[in-house]
Amino acid sequence: DTEVTQTPKHLVMGMTNKKSLKCEQHMGHRAMYWYKQKAKKPPELMFVYSYEKLSINESVPSRFSPECPNSSLLNLHLHALQPEDSALYLCASSRVGTVSYNSPLHFGNGTRLTVT
Amino acid sequence: AQTVTQSQPEMSVQEAETVTLSCTYDTSESDYYLFWYKQPPSRQMILVIRQEAYKQQNATENRFSVNFQKAAKSFSLKISDSQLGDAAMYFCARRGGSGGSNYKLTFGKGTLLTVNP
């Protein structure tokens, strides 16, 4: 069983739709991440939240809007996506702090997104 | 650039045999961390093993061990007594040791491991 839960597992949306991906963890981690993964490629970092504040935005288009309402939840709001945005979206979490620099990322099972 | 290179796109091994996956990396930092993750068809990224750069001793986790050569910037993964469940995509990854680089996990392109019965 994964300790990071992502919903939905699969999502098909049109280019004019608005949808949201959700991620939840209860490990007490204060850093949460969104990654995008295309088929047979490594994950690419999109956003990092640390203590519920956006720390890193890897120049992601504004049609992707992250939100961290509390320390356990992370959302990714999607609007006006393009077919090339179809991918596996992975959420991850980790500890934060000087004593936790080697803290590994714990990943969820991902949401398989298809944009039609 | 802080890159991670996996030179073997695909590898295969017979069940119960040993296989070694290669990884090299480039970094200007003195403090960093290295990881191997596996991603089976179920999609979840699973941590296999981790190594702190300041530690000289190679990490081991049951059938999994690493050969960490800091001067050569090499971090290979050895899987002993391979099992069918080991079949997956394996990613080598590096994480910085301080500041913003600590949040960034840089992945290699991956090695697809097939285990033959």
Side-chain angles (χ1 to χ4, degrees), chain B residues 7-34:
Chain B
S7 59
Q8 306 150 315
E10 297 184 19
M11 292 282 285
S12 64
V13 63
Q14 291 296 125
E15 196 174 3
E17 298 294 309
T18 296
V19 65
T20 298
L21 308 184
S22 301
C23 174
T24 58
Y25 59 92
D26 186 20
T27 183
S28 56
E29 295 178 297
S30 59
D31 188 21
Y32 53 90
Y33 303 89
L34 299 165

Short mmCIF file of all heavy atoms in Angstrom, two decimals, chain B residues 7-34:
data_model
loop_
_atom_site.label_atom_id
_atom_site.label_comp_id
_atom_site.label_asym_id
_atom_site.label_seq_id
_atom_site.Cartn_x
_atom_site.Cartn_y
_atom_site.Cartn_z
N SER B 7 23.75 4.58 -18.75
CA SER B 7 24.20 4.24 -20.10
C SER B 7 23.54 3.00 -20.68
O SER B 7 23.75 2.67 -21.85
CB SER B 7 25.71 4.07 -20.12
OG SER B 7 26.09 3.04 -19.22
N GLN B 8 22.76 2.29 -19.86
CA GLN B 8 22.15 1.04 -20.31
C GLN B 8 20.63 1.22 -20.40
O GLN B 8 19.94 1.14 -19.40
CB GLN B 8 22.46 -0.09 -19.32
CG GLN B 8 23.93 -0.29 -19.02
CD GLN B 8 24.15 -0.83 -17.61
OE1 GLN B 8 23.55 -0.35 -16.66
NE2 GLN B 8 25.03 -1.81 -17.48
N PRO B 9 20.09 1.45 -21.59
CA PRO B 9 18.63 1.63 -21.69
C PRO B 9 17.88 0.36 -21.28
O PRO B 9 16.79 0.45 -20.72
CB PRO B 9 18.41 1.92 -23.17
CG PRO B 9 19.73 2.37 -23.67
CD PRO B 9 20.76 1.66 -22.84
N GLU B 10 18.45 -0.80 -21.58
CA GLU B 10 17.79 -2.06 -21.25
C GLU B 10 18.83 -3.07 -20.77
O GLU B 10 19.96 -3.09 -21.24
CB GLU B 10 17.06 -2.63 -22.47
CG GLU B 10 15.93 -1.76 -22.99
CD GLU B 10 15.17 -2.42 -24.14
OE1 GLU B 10 15.28 -3.65 -24.28
OE2 GLU B 10 14.49 -1.70 -24.88
N MET B 11 18.39 -3.90 -19.82
CA MET B 11 19.23 -5.00 -19.33
C MET B 11 18.32 -6.20 -19.11
O MET B 11 17.13 -6.05 -18.83
CB MET B 11 19.93 -4.63 -18.02
CG MET B 11 20.98 -3.56 -18.14
SD MET B 11 22.52 -4.21 -18.80
CE MET B 11 23.15 -5.10 -17.36
N SER B 12 18.91 -7.40 -19.20
CA SER B 12 18.15 -8.60 -18.87
C SER B 12 19.02 -9.50 -18.00
O SER B 12 20.25 -9.45 -18.08
CB SER B 12 17.68 -9.32 -20.13
OG SER B 12 18.79 -9.79 -20.86
N VAL B 13 18.34 -10.30 -17.19
CA VAL B 13 19.04 -11.20 -16.27
C VAL B 13 18.21 -12.46 -16.09
O VAL B 13 16.97 -12.40 -16.17
CB VAL B 13 19.29 -10.50 -14.92
CG1 VAL B 13 18.00 -10.15 -14.23
CG2 VAL B 13 20.19 -11.34 -14.02
N GLN B 14 18.85 -13.57 -15.88
CA GLN B 14 18.15 -14.80 -15.57
C GLN B 14 17.77 -14.81 -14.10
O GLN B 14 18.51 -14.30 -13.25
CB GLN B 14 19.02 -16.02 -15.87
CG GLN B 14 19.28 -16.27 -17.36
CD GLN B 14 18.01 -16.59 -18.11
OE1 GLN B 14 17.67 -15.94 -19.10
NE2 GLN B 14 17.29 -17.60 -17.64
N GLU B 15 16.63 -15.37 -13.84
CA GLU B 15 16.19 -15.51 -12.45
C GLU B 15 17.28 -16.19 -11.64
O GLU B 15 17.93 -17.12 -12.10
CB GLU B 15 14.90 -16.35 -12.42
CG GLU B 15 14.12 -16.27 -11.15
CD GLU B 15 12.79 -17.02 -11.25
OE1 GLU B 15 12.54 -17.64 -12.31
OE2 GLU B 15 12.03 -16.98 -10.29
N ALA B 16 17.53 -15.65 -10.42
CA ALA B 16 18.52 -16.15 -9.46
C ALA B 16 19.95 -15.68 -9.77
O ALA B 16 20.85 -15.91 -8.96
CB ALA B 16 18.51 -17.67 -9.35
N GLU B 17 20.15 -15.02 -10.91
CA GLU B 17 21.47 -14.51 -11.24
C GLU B 17 21.64 -13.08 -10.71
O GLU B 17 20.72 -12.50 -10.12
CB GLU B 17 21.69 -14.54 -12.76
CG GLU B 17 21.65 -15.94 -13.36
CD GLU B 17 22.81 -16.79 -12.88
OE1 GLU B 17 23.98 -16.34 -12.97
OE2 GLU B 17 22.56 -17.92 -12.41
N THR B 18 22.83 -12.54 -10.92
CA THR B 18 23.18 -11.20 -10.45
C THR B 18 23.31 -10.25 -11.64
O THR B 18 23.82 -10.64 -12.70
CB THR B 18 24.49 -11.23 -9.66
OG1 THR B 18 24.30 -12.02 -8.48
CG2 THR B 18 24.93 -9.82 -9.25
N VAL B 19 22.84 -9.03 -11.45
CA VAL B 19 22.95 -8.03 -12.50
C VAL B 19 23.38 -6.71 -11.88
O VAL B 19 23.06 -6.42 -10.72
CB VAL B 19 21.59 -7.86 -13.23
CG1 VAL B 19 20.52 -7.31 -12.29
CG2 VAL B 19 21.71 -6.98 -14.46
N THR B 20 24.14 -5.93 -12.65
CA THR B 20 24.60 -4.63 -12.18
C THR B 20 24.15 -3.54 -13.15
O THR B 20 24.38 -3.63 -14.36
CB THR B 20 26.14 -4.60 -12.07
OG1 THR B 20 26.55 -5.57 -11.09
CG2 THR B 20 26.62 -3.22 -11.62
N LEU B 21 23.50 -2.53 -12.61
CA LEU B 21 23.04 -1.39 -13.39
C LEU B 21 23.98 -0.21 -13.13
O LEU B 21 24.31 0.09 -11.98
CB LEU B 21 21.60 -1.01 -13.00
CG LEU B 21 20.57 -2.14 -13.01
CD1 LEU B 21 19.19 -1.58 -12.69
CD2 LEU B 21 20.57 -2.89 -14.32
N SER B 22 24.36 0.47 -14.20
CA SER B 22 25.36 1.54 -14.09
C SER B 22 24.71 2.91 -13.96
O SER B 22 23.63 3.16 -14.50
CB SER B 22 26.27 1.53 -15.32
OG SER B 22 26.93 0.29 -15.45
N CYS B 23 25.41 3.80 -13.27
CA CYS B 23 24.97 5.18 -13.13
C CYS B 23 26.19 6.06 -12.87
O CYS B 23 27.03 5.73 -12.03
CB CYS B 23 23.98 5.31 -11.98
SG CYS B 23 23.50 7.01 -11.60
N THR B 24 26.29 7.13 -13.61
CA THR B 24 27.31 8.15 -13.32
C THR B 24 26.60 9.49 -13.20
O THR B 24 25.49 9.67 -13.71
CB THR B 24 28.38 8.23 -14.42
OG1 THR B 24 27.76 8.51 -15.67
CG2 THR B 24 29.16 6.93 -14.52
N TYR B 25 27.24 10.41 -12.53
CA TYR B 25 26.59 11.70 -12.30
C TYR B 25 27.63 12.80 -12.32
O TYR B 25 28.83 12.54 -12.22
CB TYR B 25 25.83 11.68 -10.97
CG TYR B 25 26.73 11.38 -9.78
CD1 TYR B 25 27.33 12.41 -9.07
CD2 TYR B 25 26.97 10.06 -9.40
CE1 TYR B 25 28.17 12.12 -8.01
CE2 TYR B 25 27.81 9.77 -8.34
CZ TYR B 25 28.40 10.80 -7.64
OH TYR B 25 29.25 10.52 -6.60
N ASP B 26 27.14 13.99 -12.45
CA ASP B 26 28.01 15.16 -12.46
C ASP B 26 27.45 16.14 -11.44
O ASP B 26 26.26 16.42 -11.42
CB ASP B 26 28.02 15.80 -13.85
CG ASP B 26 29.02 16.94 -13.94
OD1 ASP B 26 29.94 16.98 -13.10
OD2 ASP B 26 28.88 17.77 -14.84
N THR B 27 28.31 16.64 -10.56
CA THR B 27 27.89 17.62 -9.57
C THR B 27 29.06 18.46 -9.14
O THR B 27 30.20 18.00 -9.13
CB THR B 27 27.24 16.94 -8.36
OG1 THR B 27 26.78 17.94 -7.45
CG2 THR B 27 28.22 16.04 -7.64
N SER B 28 28.76 19.70 -8.76
CA SER B 28 29.78 20.59 -8.23
C SER B 28 29.67 20.69 -6.71
O SER B 28 30.47 21.35 -6.07
CB SER B 28 29.63 21.98 -8.85
OG SER B 28 28.33 22.48 -8.63
N GLU B 29 28.67 20.00 -6.16
CA GLU B 29 28.46 20.05 -4.72
C GLU B 29 29.32 19.00 -4.02
O GLU B 29 29.62 17.94 -4.58
CB GLU B 29 26.99 19.80 -4.39
CG GLU B 29 26.05 20.88 -4.90
CD GLU B 29 24.60 20.57 -4.59
OE1 GLU B 29 24.10 19.56 -5.08
OE2 GLU B 29 23.99 21.35 -3.84
N SER B 30 29.69 19.30 -2.79
CA SER B 30 30.44 18.32 -2.01
C SER B 30 29.51 17.45 -1.17
O SER B 30 29.88 16.35 -0.76
CB SER B 30 31.43 19.04 -1.09
OG SER B 30 30.73 19.92 -0.22
N ASP B 31 28.30 17.95 -0.94
CA ASP B 31 27.34 17.23 -0.12
C ASP B 31 26.11 16.93 -0.98
O ASP B 31 25.48 17.86 -1.51
CB ASP B 31 26.94 18.09 1.09
CG ASP B 31 26.11 17.32 2.08
OD1 ASP B 31 26.16 16.07 2.05
OD2 ASP B 31 25.40 17.96 2.88
N TYR B 32 25.79 15.67 -1.12
CA TYR B 32 24.64 15.29 -1.93
C TYR B 32 24.23 13.87 -1.58
O TYR B 32 24.90 13.20 -0.78
CB TYR B 32 24.94 15.42 -3.43
CG TYR B 32 26.19 14.68 -3.88
CD1 TYR B 32 26.12 13.35 -4.31
CD2 TYR B 32 27.43 15.30 -3.85
CE1 TYR B 32 27.26 12.69 -4.71
CE2 TYR B 32 28.58 14.63 -4.25
CZ TYR B 32 28.49 13.33 -4.68
OH TYR B 32 29.62 12.66 -5.06
N TYR B 33 23.14 13.44 -2.16
CA TYR B 33 22.59 12.13 -1.83
C TYR B 33 22.20 11.43 -3.12
O TYR B 33 21.75 12.06 -4.08
CB TYR B 33 21.37 12.29 -0.91
CG TYR B 33 21.76 13.04 0.35
CD1 TYR B 33 21.68 14.42 0.40
CD2 TYR B 33 22.24 12.35 1.46
CE1 TYR B 33 22.08 15.11 1.53
CE2 TYR B 33 22.63 13.04 2.59
CZ TYR B 33 22.55 14.42 2.62
OH TYR B 33 22.95 15.10 3.73
N LEU B 34 22.35 10.14 -3.11
CA LEU B 34 22.08 9.33 -4.30
C LEU B 34 21.05 8.26 -3.98
O LEU B 34 21.02 7.73 -2.87
CB LEU B 34 23.38 8.66 -4.79
CG LEU B 34 24.49 9.62 -5.19
CD1 LEU B 34 25.82 8.90 -5.31
CD2 LEU B 34 24.15 10.31 -6.51
#
